[in-house]
């Protein structure tokens, strides 16, 4: 009997082999056959890992050269007109990355993960046709290696739900066009073997689901399940509960239903209905998107609870989601502290855990090695509960005794004092923080890290950069200066490295999009700040100018959202600890004479929960912790924040409640449309809407920026507006940044003169 199940496996390769070969191919340094060779090796390796670990349900078609949504679009022939005429890999990679003639398709975040998928573009004129070759070939490829896989597909409802229509119409209107292709696909799959299992992912079911979408589920799965009688269909969801959809699915002929019991606790409410239906339950109980060692005893206990409703023989033990969101293997982590490493588990280690959980739950005999592994698991979990590396009494005491949750004074009171002290003009100019990260800066950071240059030398190089940066800004006429962030490789990592309770991996790469990977730091213990983190750099920068130097910090919510977070404390509590550390930094900066401090919350919005009902809880701690972080600022210290997006309609009241004196945002690409909400709700604080798009190398002309500022002035009065680019300049070149900022300053002069 088959008892355990992996939703999907990462594919970039434990040494990022896929990334490397793809980038070589794109640079025309190798041909496509080498890409295919690497891909085959990786698939074989990943299947074998799972087979050796005793996994019963192993996926095929979880692999992709770029992205599974893109694969699905190609499978259905949903190719935007601008790519017509191209074929095979040229077509595929052009859709993903664009080419000389055609821009790439849009990319966006996969639910609340940091993985990005390609957004399919649908057009009324399109006619679709099935091409199942990738799916069929991958199944055969595994079969030839002696592994019978379950086939992963993205479901038709999720495909439509995540697509966009060129005419902005409703994508679900294409349901009638798409469903027959999926039926045909199931028929083709049915020919592969005597019996085949198919996992159809429908993660859109975990969001607030509209009645219209809900009504598609039954016709969809009735049709797919009757398309062939030797195909077992599993509908799989993850990241939240999918109660509404499950209530419908139990009345369709699907063979199994996959639910996430870790991130969708409410799924337990569906157990009775599933039990009654006699269907298989793919029980997601092993964390697919975090890096902590599973607590096997606790997970087995959780399964026993599930088994109180659903018969044991109908339970299949599963990961909570695809393991795509975790790094590969701890094998290459050579530098990590042994105690900390012993608390972690990446994808390969999770397979072994899944096997142990399954055997324990089903009462199967354990080999001697397995028994030892089980004991080691208990010991590791025990060590996590008690280790002094994790539990810091002084942090907990401080948390318990916070008495000041916000700044002194109302906004009106503060801003009046700030204007007296800072004396900036309406339409004051500034930037978001970083300046171009040159080769030399990167080299100096790398050499310092590797011990090739000493601290004195490193400091000298950074100061040299800061000098240039300050000199340029003064010459250009920018009014509020920044130091340029040369010492930061990344806005979260930089702070993580200086905080106690933060860990870093050597090889913990996770795919972000295409060939791009990120290596998020992880929070394993109580957070504290042993010493000031930015004060020396900022004070140095301030010492080089008589103008105002803006201090630059990353906010608690963003630090949290871009890290792996410990699972033994709520996110809100972890965030509160980070907030205290930032609070201390704000205080040290102002004591050092810094008068404006920006606390970036670039990832504030992406932390929003998938279900509306969970939003108030998130907002309450996220806002609380931003406010705690800046609560040490005196009335005359001006607090800025920056957010990397433009759509504020849903969250404008929350933004207001954060109580920053100034917020800079990303509206450059949409004129003044997106700013209107600020005026509509009577937003009082000052706003710096980006006046040009830094995501493109284009240099905006003076006239363009003048126009843009005039449009902004149609919405908000000059006293309320700051003028700045729409994000940090780190990824740009100096010869793009210099003329752009010069034009920005000239534009402000022209507009000021005309007022
Ligand atoms: N201060 C950061 C920078 O300028 C902000 C980056 C961001 O918003 N993503 O790079
Ligand atoms: Zn930004």
């Amino acid at each position: 009997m088959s008892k355990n199940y992996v939703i999907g496996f990462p594919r970039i390769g434990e040494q990022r082999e896929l990334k490397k070969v793809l980038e070589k191919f794109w640079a025309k340094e190798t041909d496509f056959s080498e890409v295919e060779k690497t891909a085959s090796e990786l698939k074989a390796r990943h299947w074998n890992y799972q087979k050796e670990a005793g996994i019963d349900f192993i996926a095929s078609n979880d692999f992709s050269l770029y992205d599974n949504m893109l694969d699905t679009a190609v499978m259905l022939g949903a190719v935007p007109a601008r790519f017509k005429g191209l074929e095979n890999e040229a077509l595929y990679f052009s859709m993903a990355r664009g080419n000389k003639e055609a821009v790439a398709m849009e990319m966006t975040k996969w639910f609340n993960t940091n993985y990005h998928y390609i957004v399919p573009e649908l057009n009324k004129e399109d006619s679709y046709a099935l091409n199942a070759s990738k799916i069929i070939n991958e199944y055969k490829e595994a079969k030839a290696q002696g592994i019978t896989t379950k086939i992963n597909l993205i479901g038709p409802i999720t495909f439509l739900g995540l697509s966009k229509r060129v005419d902005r119409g409703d994508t679900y209107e294409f349901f009638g066009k798409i469903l027959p292709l999926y039926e045909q696909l199931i028929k083709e799959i049915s020919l592969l073997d005597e019996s085949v299992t198919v996992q159809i992912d429908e993660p859109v079911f975990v969001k607030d689901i509209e009645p219209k979408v809900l009504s598609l589920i039954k016709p969809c799965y009735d049709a797919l399940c009757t398309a062939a009688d030797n195909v077992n269909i599993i509908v799989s969801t993850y990241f939240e509960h999918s109660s509404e959809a499950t209530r419908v699915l139990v009345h369709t002929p699907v063979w199994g239903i996959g639910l996430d019991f870790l991130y969708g606790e409410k799924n337990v409410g569906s157990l009775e209905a599933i039990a009654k239906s006699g269907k298989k339950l793919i029980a997601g109980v092993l964390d697919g998107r975090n890096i902590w060692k599973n607590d096997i005893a606790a997970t087995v206990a959780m399964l026993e609870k599930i088994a109180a409703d659903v018969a044991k023989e109908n339970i299949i033990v599963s990961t909570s989601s695809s393991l795509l969101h975790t790094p590969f293997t701890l094998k290459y982590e050579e530098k990590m502290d042994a105690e900390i490493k012993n608390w972690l588990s990446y994808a390969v280690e999770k397979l072994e855990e899944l096997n142990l959980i399954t055997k324990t739950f089903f009462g199967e005999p354990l080999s001697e090695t397995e028994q030892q592994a089980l004991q080691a698991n208990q010991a590791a979990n025990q060590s996590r509960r008690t280790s002094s590396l994790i539990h810091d009494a002084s942090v907990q005491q401080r948390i318990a005794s916070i008495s000041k949750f916000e700044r002194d004074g109302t906004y009106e009171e503060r801003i009046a004092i700030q204007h007296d002290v800072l004396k900036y003009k309406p339409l004051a100019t500034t930037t978001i923080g970083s300046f171009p990260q040159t080769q030399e800066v990167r080299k100096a950071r790398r050499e310092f890290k590797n011990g090739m240059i000493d601290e004195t030398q490193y400091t000298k190089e950074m100061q040299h950069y800061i000098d240039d940066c300050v000199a340029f800004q003064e010459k250009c006429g920018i009014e509020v200066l920044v130091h340029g962030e040369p010492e930061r490789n990344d806005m979260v990592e930089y702070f993580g490295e200086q905080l106690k309770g933060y860990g870093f991996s050597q090889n913990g790469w996770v795919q972000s999009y295409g060939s791009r990977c990120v290596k998020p730091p992880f929070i394993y213990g109580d957070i504290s700040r042993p010493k000031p983190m930015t004060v020396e750099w900022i004070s140095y920068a301030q010492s080089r100018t008589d103008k105002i130097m803006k201090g630059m910090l990353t906010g608690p919510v963003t630090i949290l959202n871009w890290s792996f977070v410990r699972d033994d404390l709520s996110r809100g509590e972890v965030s509160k600890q980070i907030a205290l550390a930032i609070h201390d930094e704000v205080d040290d900066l102002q004591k050092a004479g810094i008068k404006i401090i920006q606390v970036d919350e670039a990832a504030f919005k992406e932390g929003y929960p998938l279900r509306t009902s969970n939003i108030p809880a998130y907002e309450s701690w996220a806002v609380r912790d931003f406010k705690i972080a800046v609560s040490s600022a005196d009335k005359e210290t001006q607090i800025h924040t920056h957010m990397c997006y433009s759509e504020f309609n849903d969250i404008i009241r929350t933004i207001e409640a954060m109580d920053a004196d100034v917020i800079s945002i990303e509206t450059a690409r949409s004129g003044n449309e997106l700013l209107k909400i600020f005026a509509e709700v009577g937003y009082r604080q000052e706003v710096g809407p980006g006046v040009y798009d830094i995501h493109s190398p284009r240099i905006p002309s003076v006239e363009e920026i003048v126009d843009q500022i005039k449009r902004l002035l149609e919405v908000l009065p000059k006293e309320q507006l700051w003028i700045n680019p729409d994000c940090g300049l780190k990824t740009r070149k100096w010869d793009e940044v210099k003329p752009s900022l010069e034009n920005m300053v000239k534009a402000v002069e022209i507009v000021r003169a005309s007022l």
Side-chain angles (χ1 to χ4, degrees):
M1 203 176 72
S2 296
K3 291 169 182 159
N4 61 17
Y5 192 105
V6 170
I7 295 190
F9 204 75
R11 56 217 178 203
I12 206 78
E14 62 195 42
Q15 303 276 4
R16 289 179 294 155
E17 293 89 339
L18 183 60
K19 171 197 175 68
K20 290 171 192 161
V21 75
L22 281 173
E23 290 176 0
K24 235 168 108 185
F25 171 66
W26 294 334
K28 299 199 165 60
E29 286 160 17
T30 188
D31 52 30
F32 192 59
S33 63
E34 199 183 328
V35 175
E36 287 179 305
K37 188 168 151 259
T38 305
S40 292
E41 285 163 8
L42 291 175
K43 280 180 269 185
R45 187 197 292 162
H46 303 160
W47 285 325
N48 270 320
Y49 275 143
Q50 296 176 75
K51 186 180 166 190
E52 278 163 24
I55 305 302
D56 300 311
F57 286 93
I58 300 174
S60 61
N61 201 41
D62 55 345
F63 190 84
S64 177
L65 290 179
Y66 203 94
D67 166 52
N68 297 119
M69 277 294 280
L70 176 61
D71 297 342
T72 310
V74 169
M75 171 188 93
L76 297 169
V79 176
R82 63 184 181 281
F83 301 108
K84 293 266 154 76
L86 293 168
E87 277 183 343
N88 301 329
E89 66 273 10
L91 170 66
Y92 185 78
F93 291 123
S94 291
M95 288 168 79
R97 312 175 63 238
N99 58 33
K100 280 211 187 78
E101 290 82 36
V103 293
M105 292 168 74
E106 190 189 324
M107 189 169 68
T108 195
K109 265 176 189 284
W110 179 247
F111 298 85
N112 54 4
T113 72
N114 201 14
Y115 177 77
H116 300 70
Y117 67 92
I118 299 283
V119 183
E121 290 169 35
L122 310 181
N123 193 330
K124 261 210 291 265
E125 275 73 57
D126 291 341
S127 56
Y128 300 126
L130 181 72
N131 175 356
S133 56
K134 172 177 186 286
I135 296 163
I136 304 292
N137 292 341
E138 258 182 58
Y139 183 87
K140 290 183 178 162
E141 204 178 336
K143 189 84 185 183
Q145 290 160 36
I147 297 174
T148 303
T149 53
K150 62 149 163 109
I151 296 176
N152 280 21
L153 302 175
I154 290 185
I157 302 180
T158 294
F159 178 78
L160 291 174
L162 301 183
S163 294
K164 63 175 185 189
R165 249 171 77 167
V166 192
D167 60 6
R168 290 168 177 243
D170 179 359
T171 50
Y172 287 111
E173 282 172 13
F174 289 52
F175 182 65
K177 255 176 151 178
I178 297 286
L179 184 64
L181 299 186
Y182 271 88
E183 290 179 61
Q184 192 188 333
L185 173 63
I186 298 294
K187 288 199 177 93
E188 285 192 29
I189 286 175
S190 77
L191 305 175
L192 281 169
D193 239 319
E194 236 168 274
S195 135
V196 194
T197 305
V198 173
Q199 167 189 313
I200 305 191
D201 286 15
E202 290 285 18
V204 285
F205 295 172
V206 307
K207 298 212 257 185
D208 300 324
I209 189 163
E210 297 161 53
K212 183 184 72 190
V213 180
L214 204 55
S215 72
L216 299 178
I217 299 177
K218 184 140 170 62
C220 180
Y221 284 94
D222 280 347
L224 294 183
C225 294
T226 44
D229 52 20
N230 63 336
V231 177
N232 292 329
I233 290 184
I234 293 164
V235 175
S236 159
T237 61
Y238 29 82
F239 306 148
E240 245 300 350
H241 78 91
S242 54
S243 311
E244 304 87 340
T246 305
R247 243 175 276 143
V248 180
L249 281 170
V250 291
H251 298 296
T252 68
V254 299
W255 182 76
I257 298 177
L259 301 176
D260 178 343
F261 290 97
L262 298 180
Y263 296 87
E265 281 176 44
K266 286 207 176 116
N267 276 327
V268 295
S270 299
L271 290 175
E272 236 183 273
I274 292 179
K276 237 196 249 158
S277 74
K279 295 187 188 305
K280 300 286 174 194
L281 172 67
I282 294 54
V285 291
L286 181 87
D287 201 334
R289 49 184 299 185
N290 214 334
I291 55 169
W292 308 106
K293 195 167 263 184
N294 179 273
D295 181 344
I296 293 181
T299 303
V300 170
M302 187 175 187
L303 284 165
E304 292 296 354
K305 264 198 192 147
I306 293 174
D309 284 308
V310 177
K312 255 190 178 178
E313 67 266 22
N314 280 338
I315 297 177
I316 297 170
V317 184
S318 169
T319 56
S320 68
S321 64
S322 168
L323 297 173
L324 179 67
H325 313 290
T326 59
F328 272 83
T329 164
L330 286 167
K331 183 161 85 183
Y332 303 102
E333 300 295 351
E334 291 149 350
K335 294 189 189 156
M336 205 181 269
D337 178 288
E339 186 178 357
I340 295 172
K341 186 173 167 183
N342 190 34
W343 300 328
L344 305 184
S345 162
Y346 293 175
V348 171
E349 292 78 30
K350 283 175 193 287
L351 299 174
E352 192 189 312
E353 294 176 348
L354 194 56
N355 175 52
L356 288 174
I357 294 166
T358 313
K359 288 201 165 153
T360 313
F361 175 58
F362 288 107
E364 285 175 20
L366 298 182
S367 71
E368 205 166 305
T369 358
E370 285 170 340
Q371 261 164 23
Q372 281 162 3
L374 200 61
Q375 275 161 15
N377 179 275
Q378 264 169 10
N381 278 291
Q382 185 54 31
S383 129
R384 253 187 102 190
R385 278 188 282 274
T386 50
S387 169
S388 61
L389 280 180
I390 295 182
H391 308 278
D392 183 335
S394 61
V395 174
Q396 288 158 16
Q397 268 157 27
R398 237 193 118 187
I399 290 284
S401 58
I402 302 179
S403 57
K404 191 167 185 308
F405 288 87
E406 55 188 19
R407 301 177 64 184
D408 294 330
T410 60
Y411 167 70
E412 276 73 16
E413 222 178 294
R414 295 190 318 250
I415 198 77
I417 303 173
Q418 290 162 18
H419 276 277
D420 276 350
V421 178
L422 301 169
K423 299 192 187 352
Y424 57 90
K425 291 189 237 167
L427 307 178
T429 49
T430 190
T431 60
I432 307 302
S434 58
F435 269 76
Q437 296 246 325
T438 56
Q439 292 287 349
E440 299 86 77
V441 164
R442 291 215 174 90
K443 183 161 163 265
R445 270 203 319 261
R446 199 169 50 235
E447 290 183 343
F448 179 50
K449 217 169 191 169
N450 299 338
M452 288 156 72
I453 57 174
D454 64 10
E455 186 160 0
T456 324
Q457 175 70 16
Y458 172 71
T459 306
K460 236 208 249 143
E461 302 232 12
M462 293 299 119
Q463 291 183 342
H464 183 71
Y465 181 99
I466 293 172
D467 291 348
D468 286 351
C469 207
V470 169
F472 165 71
Q473 293 173 85
E474 283 194 330
K475 184 159 155 269
C476 176
I478 290 186
E479 291 154 274
V480 171
L481 273 47
V482 297
H483 78 297
E485 305 180 24
E487 77 286 13
R488 303 180 193 180
N489 166 45
D490 174 275
M491 64 190 284
V492 170
E493 188 179 74
Y494 178 76
F495 291 93
E497 278 174 345
Q498 303 186 72
L499 291 168
K500 205 175 145 229
Y502 244 101
F504 294 84
S505 70
Q506 241 173 307
N507 202 48
W509 296 103
V510 179
Q511 190 175 15
S512 170
Y513 65 88
S515 66
R516 283 285 207 109
C517 300
V518 293
K519 199 158 53 99
F522 55 93
I523 300 171
Y524 61 81
D526 290 336
I527 297 284
S528 59
R529 185 197 71 145
K531 60 180 203 315
M533 303 184 281
T534 62
V535 178
E536 275 178 33
W537 298 121
I538 309 285
S539 310
Y540 174 79
Q542 180 67 84
S543 76
R544 310 299 288 172
T545 180
D546 296 330
K547 294 204 166 171
I548 305 164
M549 179 57 60
K550 177 163 72 168
M552 197 55 62
L553 305 173
T554 303
V557 184
T558 298
I559 292 185
L560 185 87
N561 281 335
W562 284 347
S563 306
F564 283 120
V565 182
R566 59 192 286 196
D567 59 355
D568 58 345
L569 196 65
S570 74
R571 289 175 78 81
E573 285 307 298
V574 178
S575 155
K576 206 197 268 180
Q577 295 181 354
I578 306 170
L580 279 185
I582 303 296
H583 160 284
D584 296 349
E585 190 72 17
V586 166
D587 198 29
D588 284 337
L589 280 171
Q590 86 188 343
K591 284 188 183 128
I594 302 303
K595 298 189 164 59
I596 298 185
I597 301 167
Q598 179 171 311
V599 180
D600 288 326
E601 283 293 16
F604 187 87
K605 202 174 174 189
E606 65 184 60
Y608 268 67
L610 295 168
R611 291 264 180 180
T612 321
S613 55
N614 298 328
I615 289 178
Y618 170 75
E619 286 181 334
S620 79
W621 62 255
V623 172
R624 176 199 68 196
D625 295 340
F626 180 84
K627 290 174 78 177
I628 291 177
V630 299
S631 63
S632 51
D634 297 332
K635 287 182 196 168
E636 61 263 37
T637 302
Q638 187 166 72
I639 296 292
H640 289 213
T641 189
H642 165 72
M643 294 190 182
C644 293
Y645 37 84
S646 44
E647 262 284 347
F648 287 91
N649 290 30
D650 299 347
I651 61 166
I652 189 78
R653 291 295 177 199
T654 311
I655 299 299
E656 195 171 33
M658 288 168 74
D659 199 29
D661 301 311
V662 182
I663 182 172
S664 62
I665 55 175
E666 187 183 299
T667 49
R669 277 179 285 186
S670 36
N672 63 12
E673 272 314 301
L674 297 162
L675 190 60
K676 288 183 177 157
I677 185 71
F678 287 85
E680 271 165 33
V681 301
Y683 189 86
R684 299 161 303 149
Q685 291 100 310
E686 297 181 5
V687 188
V691 293
Y692 77 88
D693 175 15
I694 65 94
H695 305 87
S696 140
R698 238 186 111 253
I699 296 159
S701 69
V702 177
E703 296 71 38
E704 246 176 274
I705 305 180
V706 166
D707 276 356
Q708 178 70 7
I709 298 175
K710 285 187 174 159
R711 274 201 296 263
L712 300 177
L713 284 165
E714 289 165 11
V715 182
L716 291 177
K718 62 179 192 299
E719 291 74 20
Q720 209 178 344
L721 285 173
W722 284 68
I723 301 301
N724 43 260
D726 72 350
C727 196
L729 303 166
K730 174 175 171 175
T731 54
R732 296 265 64 90
K733 301 201 173 76
W734 271 111
D735 53 11
E736 295 155 1
V737 164
K738 283 187 177 172
S740 299
L741 290 177
E742 280 159 9
N743 289 353
M744 183 182 94
V745 171
K746 275 184 211 139
V748 169
E749 280 160 12
I750 293 172
V751 176
R752 276 181 183 156
S754 76
L755 288 174

